[in-house]
Amino acid sequence: KGQVHWIPLPTQIGQNELTIELQTAETTEIIKLSVFVNAIPTISYRPNTTEYINQGEVFNFVLQSFDANINQPITWDLTAGPTNMTLNDVAELDWTADSLDYNVYIITLSDSIDTEMFYGKIYVNYQPKIISRPKEAVHLGETFVYQIKVEDKNKTSPNNEKTENIIDIQILSGPALLEIKDKQLRWTPAEEDVGMHNIEIVATDQLAKTTQS
């Protein structure tokens, strides 16, 4: 009995023919082995771990691979992914974003011996819309109050999938004493404020923004 210990070098990738001479006190035996040294295939060009696109847009990406073995056939497989996502034989990933928030997909590259897997996410964003309109006049002595309503169908934050999506609203321009709190604009004009005033606000979900004036 005996053991053969061998750590292949990068130059020994592929088929290797080994000859072992086994000697005893009385006999000599020649053992010939054929050993294939496989290099794990690598996904050398891939999407970012998390990609961001808008609802309805097409996500298209052609992945690339590297295998140090010469003429070693490789196969691509979309192991998991959202509905209607496809990955063809030339590693072209294609999907029309129809599912909001985070969408997880897994791509497997195999040379029939070893595999490498890529875990990716696509965050599909619903672009926010301001769906309310303020009144356009206020009398002197009254307080202008405008409760802003923003439509955004995303449930999770684009910055952290474990937190709720939050819409931030800011004042871009308006009277000096105009203030905003809890998505509500408030302003009590003074006598010197009589006349026309333009108010502009912006609502953002950290990826896209919409304005109203």
Side-chain angles (χ1 to χ4, degrees), residues 43-176:
I43 302 175
S44 57
Y45 185 58
R46 61 186 71 183
N48 293 323
T49 303
T50 303
E51 294 279 354
Y52 299 89
I53 61 175
N54 292 321
Q55 184 182 32
E57 291 182 348
V58 175
F59 180 78
N60 185 272
F61 192 96
V62 179
L63 295 93
Q64 297 178 14
S65 65
F66 173 77
D67 194 328
N69 292 104
I70 299 175
N71 298 324
Q72 181 81 343
I74 60 171
T75 57
W76 294 90
D77 182 58
L78 181 62
T79 307
T83 303
N84 299 323
M85 176 177 279
T86 60
L87 179 69
N88 61 23
D89 293 339
V90 295
E92 182 181 12
L93 185 66
D94 191 85
W95 182 54
T96 299
D98 56 3
S99 178
L100 294 175
D101 297 317
Y102 290 92
N103 295 268
V104 177
Y105 64 97
I106 303 173
I107 292 175
T108 302
L109 174 66
S110 175
D111 63 2
S112 76
I113 299 175
D114 292 300
T115 61
E116 183 181 38
M117 304 183 77
F118 172 68
Y119 297 83
K121 298 176 184 177
I122 300 176
Y123 183 88
V124 179
N125 191 49
Y126 182 92
Q127 294 184 292
K129 302 174 184 176
I130 299 175
I131 58 175
S132 56
R133 294 294 304 180
K135 60 182 181 180
E136 297 184 355
V138 61
H139 293 99
L140 188 62
E142 295 180 347
T143 298
F144 171 79
V145 179
Y146 173 35
Q147 188 66 46
I148 305 165
K149 294 181 180 179
V150 180
E151 181 184 66
D152 191 330
K153 297 181 180 180
N154 286 105
K155 302 299 183 183
T156 55
S157 167
N159 299 321
N160 188 335
E161 60 185 304
K162 295 182 180 180
T163 61
E164 182 182 356
N165 186 41
I166 296 175
I167 300 297
D168 180 60
I169 303 176
Q170 298 290 334
I171 299 171
L172 293 180
S173 64

